[in-house]
Amino acid sequence: MELPEGAVSYGRRVSQLAEEHPDHVALVFAAADGHDETFTSRELETRAVAAARVLAAAGVDERSRVAIALPNSPEHVIAALGAWKLGACVVPVRADLPQWERERVLDVAAPRVVVADELGERPVVHREEIADAPPDAAGTDLPDRVPQPAMAVTSGGATGSPKLIVTPAPGAAVPGAAFATSASAFPGGAGHVNLVPGPLYHTNGFAICHSGLFEDQRVVLMESFDAARVVDLVERWRVTLMTMAPTMLLRVARLPGIDDRDLSSIQGIMQGAASCPQWLLRRWIALVGAERVFVAYGSTERVGLTMVRGDEWLVHPGTVGRGVATEIRILDRDGRDLERGEVGEIFLRSEASRVAPTYEYVGADPAPRTADGFTSIGDLGWLDADGYLFIADRRVDMIVTGGANVFPAEVEAAVSELDGIGDVAVIGVPDDEWGRRVVALVEAVAGRAAPSVDDLDAHCRARLAPYKVPREFVIVERLPRTPAGKLNRAALTEEFARR
């Protein structure tokens, strides 16, 4: 396997950093109970080697997949590093899945072993075996192996049927190369303090955590997201980088006294994972400055990437940016290119995808692809006259009501702007007259009363076309979002329809 000049395997990179500055605090685990546990570069190396020996004893080698079904924890990180030292492919899996659903996922992933808290019928390495393995500094007899592939992520997608998204790229990288880009790109490289508030089973949390470690950053990993704790950690550790989903950004922005907190260390805050209301981006621009706010659009499949910085976003409000080494096409249902401003399916082609496949599905058919190599992951959007991309919504989430198309993300953005809203989900419920009627499920800010239905209706009518205004507002105690901020709209719709 031929690697780029200067590339270092993931396993070797951990050793390299331990040699360069063994006492540097590389990982901070911010536990939910409020205490922080720190790990130096040397401790990560010795514990990764020890984990590799535990996994090897369980039969793991360079041909294996290792599923890690743990909540955010030091053992999650260390198990992944240990697996990579053996050349194995790491598959992060949600730890809180019901047993039947976990088995469906693992049937597709087919791991050699599962690192988990609970023992089961499959070969399992218990979390305690990773935690209690004696730190091993004698790692020189472990051969330097390059995992290929290094990572695969499980997904239910729009259908709920499990699939594995495999990233074929080898587990090796050239330190610093990813950040040698234009001045408007998200900051990165060595020396940053990178806060990871999301779950490690999600591609964002997992990739950001480990790429941060490999780039010689200090990674602050939260056991679970808590808005108040985020701000405490930013102040305590002088966090410079963080990536958050819109629901996380909303909950932090609505903390009492947030304007008086010290966010001055932040150099880059990235919004990703879902569409973000314009008012919320403007709020963060006011909090930290336009040049420190970024929006990105991409996918686990890595078929393309767009990005925009806050000052550029203010000129094109609502955009997710222009392609970063990525070409964009907007196509209709017949595969024809649409004019600028027309909504259609988004197809991307990155420079990397022109050279080699950037993903492989296990358990599902490949994503739609044009003859010349543009790929869609199912999102709808449009390009403005300057080539900036705007997201409408997921095709599967679009609601057709009375023959008109309603995009939930647009309605949610309008509802969320009302003071007192902590979260909102818009669904299309079967209706004999309209086909689907638009329903907004609304969660109040913690500790506050929810706005009245009349206030919600009046607020939406002032901001939306009449056919887009929800015909029903339902106040809920809590929306069932995953720790990554995702919602299963199909399940929500089905549950609501049964009421």
Side-chain angles (χ1 to χ4, degrees):
M1 174 193 326
E2 188 172 342
L3 299 176
E5 184 178 352
V8 182
S9 73
Y10 290 171
R12 176 59 193 144
R13 181 61 174 157
V14 179
S15 305
Q16 193 178 70
L17 291 171
E19 293 164 3
E20 290 176 2
H21 39 62
D23 298 323
H24 166 71
V25 174
L27 176 68
V28 179
F29 178 64
D33 65 7
H35 86 275
D36 296 340
E37 186 177 2
T38 62
F39 298 83
T40 65
S41 297
R42 175 166 46 202
E43 287 170 333
L44 285 183
E45 163 69 1
T46 57
R47 294 192 63 174
V49 171
R53 299 198 190 286
V54 170
L55 294 170
V60 174
D61 59 21
E62 66 270 22
R63 298 177 298 276
S64 305
R65 289 181 187 147
V66 175
I68 304 179
L70 295 174
N72 283 15
S73 57
E75 291 77 28
H76 197 303
V77 176
I78 291 162
L81 298 178
W84 282 326
K85 281 186 173 289
L86 298 174
C89 174
V90 176
V91 184
V93 175
R94 280 192 68 165
D96 60 352
L97 291 176
Q99 188 63 31
W100 67 268
E101 189 172 356
R102 179 188 291 193
E103 288 305 313
R104 286 204 314 160
V105 169
L106 294 177
D107 282 343
V108 174
R112 177 66 186 83
V113 299
V114 182
V115 182
D117 281 319
E118 298 177 3
L119 301 177
E121 295 180 3
R122 297 174 186 272
V124 171
V125 169
H126 198 275
R127 185 213 293 242
E128 291 180 359
E129 296 180 68
I130 300 295
D132 297 340
D136 191 344
T140 54
D141 58 332
L142 285 177
D144 184 11
R145 292 184 174 136
V146 178
Q148 189 165 3
M151 173 183 168
V153 175
T154 59
S155 171
T159 65
S161 299
K163 69 183 176 188
L164 195 66
I165 309 174
V166 181
T167 302
V174 180
F179 302 101
T181 55
S182 69
S184 64
F186 191 67
H192 280 283
V193 181
N194 203 332
L195 177 67
V196 180
L200 292 179
Y201 69 75
H202 188 269
T203 184
N204 273 355
F206 188 81
I208 291 168
C209 174
H210 289 285
S211 64
L213 290 174
F214 298 149
E215 285 295 334
D216 199 12
Q217 298 174 357
R218 174 172 295 160
V219 172
V220 181
L221 173 65
M222 297 185 72
E223 182 175 6
S224 57
F225 174 78
D226 176 85
R229 188 89 198 282
V230 165
V231 182
D232 290 342
L233 291 168
V234 168
E235 292 179 332
R236 184 184 315 165
W237 291 100
R238 307 303 294 159
V239 168
T240 60
L241 306 176
M242 57 184 180
T243 299
M244 291 199 289
T247 51
M248 298 177 180
L249 292 172
L250 175 62
R251 287 170 182 168
V252 175
R254 286 201 159 143
L255 285 172
I258 185 63
D259 291 278
D260 299 323
R261 302 299 293 271
D262 184 4
L263 306 179
S264 61
S265 63
I266 295 175
Q267 297 179 31
I269 179 165
M270 178 71 76
Q271 178 266 311
S275 295
C276 189
Q278 290 189 35
W279 73 266
L280 184 55
L281 257 296
R282 293 182 189 278
R283 179 75 174 107
W284 274 97
I285 286 171
L287 283 171
V288 301
E291 294 185 357
R292 299 179 180 186
V293 173
F294 295 78
V295 178
Y297 169 71
S299 66
T300 304
E301 290 85 350
R302 303 187 183 190
V303 296
L305 175 69
T306 70
M307 188 180 296
V308 64
R309 197 171 69 180
D311 49 350
E312 195 177 0
W313 182 91
L314 288 170
V315 181
H316 302 267
T319 185
V320 293
R322 292 194 285 191
V324 178
T326 297
E327 301 167 85
I328 306 169
R329 292 175 68 186
I330 308 296
L331 305 181
D332 66 14
R333 289 182 179 274
D334 296 320
R336 294 187 294 256
D337 286 284
L338 292 171
E339 297 293 329
R340 296 293 172 96
E342 292 187 292
V343 175
E345 191 161 357
I346 301 166
F347 282 76
L348 304 177
R349 182 175 69 180
S350 67
E351 289 182 2
S353 68
R354 300 184 70 166
V355 177
T358 56
Y359 79 97
E360 173 191 345
Y361 284 159
V362 178
D365 294 329
R369 181 180 169 93
T370 65
D372 54 352
F374 285 77
T375 302
S376 166
I377 56 169
D379 290 333
L380 301 175
W382 73 95
L383 292 169
D384 71 6
D386 298 317
Y388 285 83
L389 179 64
F390 293 74
I391 306 299
D393 219 325
R394 296 282 294 168
R395 181 179 291 283
V396 295
D397 292 336
M398 187 177 71
I399 302 167
V400 181
T401 179
N405 295 337
V406 174
F407 297 113
E410 180 186 5
V411 183
E412 289 166 357
V415 175
S416 70
E417 193 174 353
L418 182 62
D419 186 44
I421 300 296
D423 200 0
V424 57
V426 170
I427 58 176
V429 178
D431 186 278
D432 291 338
E433 181 180 358
W434 298 97
R436 295 267 170 179
R437 72 179 184 278
V438 180
V439 175
L441 307 177
V442 177
E443 175 188 324
V445 171
R448 295 180 58 180
S452 71
V453 169
D454 287 344
D455 285 346
L456 285 162
D457 184 73
H459 173 82
C460 288
R461 290 190 183 282
R463 286 161 175 77
L464 297 168
Y467 72 91
K468 298 178 183 179
V469 175
R471 296 182 178 277
E472 190 173 356
F473 294 93
V474 180
I475 309 301
V476 298
E477 185 175 340
R478 193 78 168 174
L479 285 170
R481 288 192 184 272
T482 70
K486 301 287 187 179
L487 274 175
N488 186 331
R489 289 184 199 275
L492 269 179
T493 303
E494 184 179 342
E495 178 185 347
F496 189 87
R498 288 199 301 264
R499 294 182 178 182

